[in-house]
Amino acid sequence: MSTDVSRRHVLAAGAALAGAAALMAGSEGTAGAATSTTGTGEEKSKVKPTIVLVHGGYADSSCWNATIGELQDKGYTTVCAANPLRGIPTDAPYIASLLDSISGPVVLVAHSMGGTVITNAAAGKDNVKALVYIAAFAPDVGETQGELITKFPGSEVGPVSVPVPYTKADGTTGTDLYLSKDGQAAFAADIPTADFRVLQATQRPFDADSFVFPTTAAAWRTIPSWGLVAGRDKAIPPACERWMYSRANARKVVEVPRSSHVVMISHPKVVADLIRDAAKAIS
């Protein structure tokens, strides 16, 4: 083979490699752009907030599964926090550390006792732009969950909560509360019995002391909030939810008249729509 022919082959190969690299770079750029603009209509934007979801007692992160599906279909990055359920002194710093690991704006969402956690954890977090309370506690400084759950009549979870002693790291004895097999009417009346049995079997219990720890911060005083009232809630009375959201000057409150406490399971689209409203408002 002549020197000229060999040189032409080398040049041609080099040009082909350069062209392939350019195509690959173009494809990566397009994929990146698609990721940042996933969604339709008015929801297309260069930056979407991360949605962080915090569960409450008698549940785990899987309670958000249906809501996550709704949010991810619209292009939202979602993170489910594993709430320790040991009370404010443990739960709030744990969730706060998760928030510190997320770059960019955050919409922080909580159900039930998770509301107490985010109310404390979000204080002073500049990346948290919105709080969304889903049938959740929204306490003020100095208040306890025990005070709030008895402020209005209607909670029926006490009689179906089973106390189980456990040994703490320091050797002292604590008490965990589990939802009994008879707890569907009080906690999840509007989901199929088979689904309740799975929820009850996979629940994360919470330390009974969670009811007595006073709130040390009220993030809703400086961060805009949204709220959802479960109209047939027999865990946190609906009247209590309305009162707390009103006090927090929630920008929008949605009521689901026929929902039990686990509204994110029975009405996930309504929950996701409210979260998206908050996300769009701060984007």
Side-chain angles (χ1 to χ4, degrees), residues 3-276:
T3 302
D4 288 343
V5 172
S6 297
R7 184 178 295 114
R8 286 198 299 271
H9 285 173
V10 170
L11 291 173
L17 286 171
L23 286 171
M24 290 174 66
S27 296
E28 290 174 356
T30 302
T35 298
S36 64
T37 58
T38 301
T40 58
E42 74 280 2
E43 288 192 286
K44 285 188 177 181
S45 63
K46 291 184 178 179
V47 178
K48 279 188 169 73
T50 298
I51 312 298
V52 176
L53 304 121
V54 181
H55 66 84
Y58 304 138
D60 63 11
S61 292
S62 67
C63 69
W64 293 109
N65 285 356
T67 300
I68 289 171
E70 295 283 344
L71 293 168
Q72 290 184 346
D73 283 348
K74 298 299 183 181
Y76 287 96
T77 298
T78 53
V79 177
C80 268
N83 188 357
L85 300 176
R86 301 297 88 189
I88 292 171
T90 298
D91 302 350
Y94 182 86
I95 299 302
S97 67
L98 173 64
L99 298 173
D100 288 339
S101 73
I102 299 172
S103 60
V106 169
V107 174
L108 186 55
V109 184
H111 174 247
S112 193
M113 296 171 63
T116 298
V117 177
I118 70 169
T119 297
N120 287 267
K125 301 299 181 186
D126 292 338
N127 61 331
V128 179
K129 304 301 182 183
L131 303 171
V132 185
Y133 293 94
I134 305 297
F137 288 109
D140 201 354
V141 174
E143 291 179 340
T144 68
Q145 290 182 161
E147 295 169 357
L148 289 171
I149 203 169
T150 57
K151 188 175 182 66
F152 296 86
S155 180
E156 298 180 7
V157 292
V160 292
S161 298
V162 180
V164 177
Y166 74 96
T167 302
K168 298 184 178 183
D170 62 2
T172 60
T173 300
T175 300
D176 263 342
L177 295 177
Y178 286 81
L179 184 66
S180 78
K181 294 179 180 179
D182 299 323
Q184 182 171 9
F187 193 74
D190 60 343
I191 67 173
T193 298
D195 292 347
F196 171 75
R197 288 174 178 166
V198 172
L199 183 154
Q200 193 270 336
T202 59
Q203 67 179 295
R204 302 253 329 264
F206 64 90
D207 192 311
D209 283 348
S210 298
F211 281 117
V212 301
F213 289 116
T215 294
T216 60
W220 48 261
R221 290 193 174 277
T222 56
I223 302 172
S225 64
W226 283 252
L228 185 147
V229 176
R232 293 185 179 176
D233 198 330
K234 294 181 181 180
I236 303 175
C240 186
E241 294 169 9
R242 296 184 194 103
W243 177 78
M244 289 185 291
Y245 303 158
S246 175
R247 180 179 62 177
N249 294 313
R251 290 194 179 184
K252 181 177 182 179
V253 175
V254 171
E255 185 151 345
V256 186
R258 296 180 178 274
S259 179
S260 72
H261 188 54
V262 293
V263 61
M264 68 288 188
I265 299 176
S266 58
H267 297 84
K269 187 177 186 306
V270 178
V271 172
D273 285 347
L274 182 63
I275 296 169
R276 286 164 50 208

